[in-house]
Amino acid sequence: MQTIEAVSGRAVPLFLDDIDTDRIIPARYLRCVTFEGLGEHVFEDDRKQDPNHPFDKPQFQGATVLVAGRNFGCGSSREHAPQALMRWGVRAVVAESYAEIFFGNCTANGIPCVTADRAHLQQLAEAVAANPQQTVTVDLMKLTVESGALKFPCKMQEGARQSLTTGNWDFLAQLVDAAPQIRETAERLPYMTGFAKV
Amino acid sequence: MSDTRNLFNRIWDLHTVRQMPSGQTQLFIGQHLIHEVTSPQAFQMLRDRELKVMHPERTLATVDHIIPTGNQARPFADGLAEEMMSAIEKNCREFGITLLNLDDRRQGIVHVVGPEQGLTQPGITLACGDSHTSTHGAFGCIAFGIGTSQVADVLASQTMAMGRPKVRRVGVNGKLRPGVYAKDVILHIIRKLGVEGGVGYAYEFAGEVFAAMSMEERMTVCNMSIEGGARCGYINPDQVTVDYLRGKPLAPQGAAFDKAAAWWLSLASGADAQFDDRVEIDGSTIEPTVTWGINPAQSVGVNEEIPAASSFPSTEQAGIREALAFMEFKEHQPIKGTKIDVAFIGSCTNSRISDLREAAKVVKGKHVAPHVRTFVVPGSQLIREQAEAEGLHEVFRAAGFDWREAGCSMCLAMNPDKLIGREICASSSNRNFKGRQGSPTGRTLLMSPAMVAAAAVNGVVSDVRDML
C-alpha cells in the first residue's frame, strides 16, 4: 500500500473541543450502503447554524490539513465520519487529542491524526486564519508540523505511525495472513471448545 | 507467585494471536455482533477481496437503528432504510450469518439482544460496529466498539489489530440512596472524570455499588463507558452474572454450564490485582443526575444549578459557553423545573425490563402533561412481550404514553422517531450531542428512565424522589 510519510497542503482551522462524530456527519446520512457522497454533508448541521463555519469559507476550500481541538471525533464509532472528512478533502488532522475509535478509523483510511500542544495549535489556527494560502506540512518521519516560520513537534501513536509510514495500514491483509495462529488461539479458548478442556 | 493481572489483562493475554509488525496486538474476537448501519460497506470489502466470513457461527446480526417503531410493514416508507434492510438480508444469506430480523421475536437493539440470548459471556472478547458495544462488559468480558473497516477485519479473520489500553479501576463504594439509579452512577462518573478522561483506558467498575447491582443495571453503567472516553468498561463476573446466564438460550447448557461458570469466576480481578490507575467515588453522595449541555459530562444533580462558565478551567470555558448558548440555558439557572416537550424511554442504555418497570412505577395512576410527546420503546421484542405480560403497556397507555415496537428509535433518530425544531427531550438514552435526536437544533437532557417518567408527568424536569 501507499506509504504516507508526510501530508502537505493548505489547512482549515476548526479549533473547537469535543467535536463528536454526530456533528461531523449527522446520523440521517448513515442511511446508505456505500460511503459515496458523504463529503458534501460533512458538518452539515453545524454549517447551517453557523454562517462563518470554516468549511464554507472560500479561502479554506481545497484544504487538506484539519486543525482541531481536544477529544476530536468522540462519540459514535461511525466510519462515515472520517469518510466524510476525506471525501471533503481532508488528508491529515492535527489536534490536541482524539477519541480512540475515530483515531483507528482514520488510520484504517490512511488519514494520519497527530497531536500537538494546545498553545502550538492555537498559533497554527491563528496563522492559518491570517494566511489561508500558506502550506502546512505534517511530517510523520520527523514528527513535526511546519507552516511558514512556525514549526513545532507533534506526536503520534507509534503503531499507527509505523503502519502509515511503511504502507502497512491495510490491516485486513495482515490479519488474514495469520490464519494458522488464529486457529491455535481459538483452540486454547475454553468457550471455543465447549468448555471440554476446563 | 500469584497472578496479579486484572481481568482485562487476563482476557487480553488469552486472546492475543501475535504481535503485528506495527507493534499492535492481533486480538482474537470470540463474538461478533453486526447490524444494518455499519456492516454493508464491510461486506463489500470482503467481496472486493474475495474473502469469506471466517466464523459465521460466531457472528450474529440484527436490525435496530433504522427500524420504524410504529408501522413496520415492508417495504418501509423510507426507501433508504428499505435498501439497508435488503442489504443486510442479502449479506447474511450470502455469507451464512444468522439474522434476527423483524419477523423474529428475538430481534431488538444489538446490545440488548446479545445478553438476552446468552451470547455475551464472561471471558470472551466481543466486537460490534457500534460504540455502545461497551455495554457487554457488564458480564466481565472485553467488548469493543469498532469502525466499519474493523468490522470487515473481524468478519474475515475473527481478529482485529489494537494497542493494549491501560486499565483504570473506578471504585464506587457506599450505598446508593433511594431514587438513585445505575444511570445516575455512570452520569456522575463521567461528570467527575470527563468525556476525555478515559481515553487510553479500559474502565474496571468495582466496589460495593456495582456488586449490589443487577445485570441490567451493570449494562447501563458499562454502556456509557465510551461517553467517558474509555475504550471499554467492565465489571468482574460474580454469582449475579452466573445466575443471569443460567438457562439463557445461547449460553452453555448442562454440565458445560457449570464448567463455564467456574472458569468465568476464576477470571475476576483478585484483591491484589494491579491497575494503571485508580479512582474512588463515594456512592452515597450521588444524586439523580441530569445533563444540561451538549456532552454527557455536562450534568448536575437535579437540585443543583447549571454552572457558570467561570467555574471551569479557562481552556474549557469556550465549550461551556457554546453549550449554554445552544441549550439556551443561563448560568445559575436551576435544572429542575425546565420545561420539556418530549419524553423518550428507550435505547441500549435503558430499555430493559427493569427500566420499564421503574418508569411504570412512577407513572402508574398519573397522566402525561398535555404538552409532552412521549415514546416508550422496549429494547427487544422479547422485552416488549415480557412488559405486556406484566401489564406495563397498559400502565403506560393509561398514563398517555405511546407504547412502541423495539428499536433504537429516538436515541439517534435514523428512523421516523425524531425531535422537531428546538424541542427539549427528557431522554433515557446516552448522548446529548447537538442534533443527536434528529433535529439539528433539538435539545436533549439525559437522565434515568424513572426521571424521564417524572418529567413526562410533570411536564418539567423533576426530582423523581418526590414521586416515589
Side-chain angles (χ1 to χ4, degrees), chain B residues 208-243:
Chain B
E208 294 159 3
V209 162
F210 306 111
M213 282 184 181
S214 69
M215 288 313 297
E216 296 192 352
E217 293 173 303
R218 294 176 187 185
M219 285 187 249
T220 298
V221 171
C222 291
N223 172 274
M224 289 187 71
S225 306
I226 189 71
E227 309 309 334
R231 196 65 184 77
C232 67
Y234 68 89
I235 292 171
N236 284 300
D238 60 9
Q239 197 56 43
V240 176
T241 320
V242 172
D243 292 344

Side-chain angles (χ1 to χ4, degrees), chain B residues 68-72 343-347 350-361 363 368 372-407 409 417 449:
Chain B
T69 63
N71 179 5
Q72 297 190 328
F344 170 57
I345 295 172
S347 85
N350 281 123
S351 62
R352 298 180 180 83
I353 190 68
S354 56
D355 298 315
L356 302 181
R357 286 177 189 145
E358 290 300 322
K361 263 188 228 169
V363 306
V368 171
V372 177
R373 286 203 290 145
T374 58
F375 296 79
V376 183
V377 186
S380 69
Q381 292 188 34
L382 287 170
I383 292 172
R384 193 172 191 275
E385 281 178 24
Q386 175 69 29
E388 292 186 352
E390 296 178 19
L392 300 181
H393 65 311
E394 295 301 348
V395 173
F396 284 117
R397 280 182 176 148
F401 280 86
D402 197 358
W403 177 248
R404 316 282 295 185
E405 301 287 344
S409 183
D417 306 346

Side-chain angles (χ1 to χ4, degrees), chain B residues 30 168 183 368 429:
Chain B
R168 173 180 293 145
K183 182 64 157 286
V368 171
S429 57

Side-chain angles (χ1 to χ4, degrees), chain A residues 20 22-23 30-31 34 49 70 75-77 79 97 100 105 159 170-172 174-175 188 191-192 195, chain B residues 14-16 18 22 24 26 30 41 49 58 78 131 147-149 196 200 259 322 431 433 436 440:
Chain A
D20 59 75
D22 274 87
R23 283 173 74 172
L30 274 52
R31 285 150 54 240
T34 72
Q49 291 170 65
R70 186 176 57 234
S76 161
S77 62
E79 197 160 314
S97 61
E100 291 170 275
N105 286 341
D170 176 5
F171 296 106
L172 180 47
Q174 298 172 56
L175 295 168
R188 70 165 184 257
Y191 61 86
M192 292 293 290
F195 297 94
Chain B
L14 198 57
H15 289 78
T16 296
R18 61 166 182 154
S22 64
Q24 290 178 299
Q26 180 169 359
Q41 297 89 344
R49 297 174 189 232
R58 301 209 72 88
D78 177 355
S131 60
T148 293
S149 293
E196 198 202 2
K259 287 184 182 177
E322 181 195 3
R431 289 191 172 131
F433 298 154
R436 171 74 179 182

Side-chain angles (χ1 to χ4, degrees), chain B residues 232-288:
Chain B
C232 67
Y234 68 89
I235 292 171
N236 284 300
D238 60 9
Q239 197 56 43
V240 176
T241 320
V242 172
D243 292 344
Y244 177 95
L245 282 167
R246 193 186 302 275
K248 288 279 184 288
L250 299 176
Q253 307 290 327
F257 184 87
D258 296 328
K259 287 184 182 177
W263 181 64
W264 295 340
L265 295 171
S266 75
L267 296 167
S269 304
D272 56 352
Q274 301 290 306
F275 295 92
D276 300 286
D277 191 36
R278 291 171 181 263
V279 294
E280 278 295 327
I281 290 171
D282 180 355
S284 67
T285 64
I286 300 173
E287 291 279 300

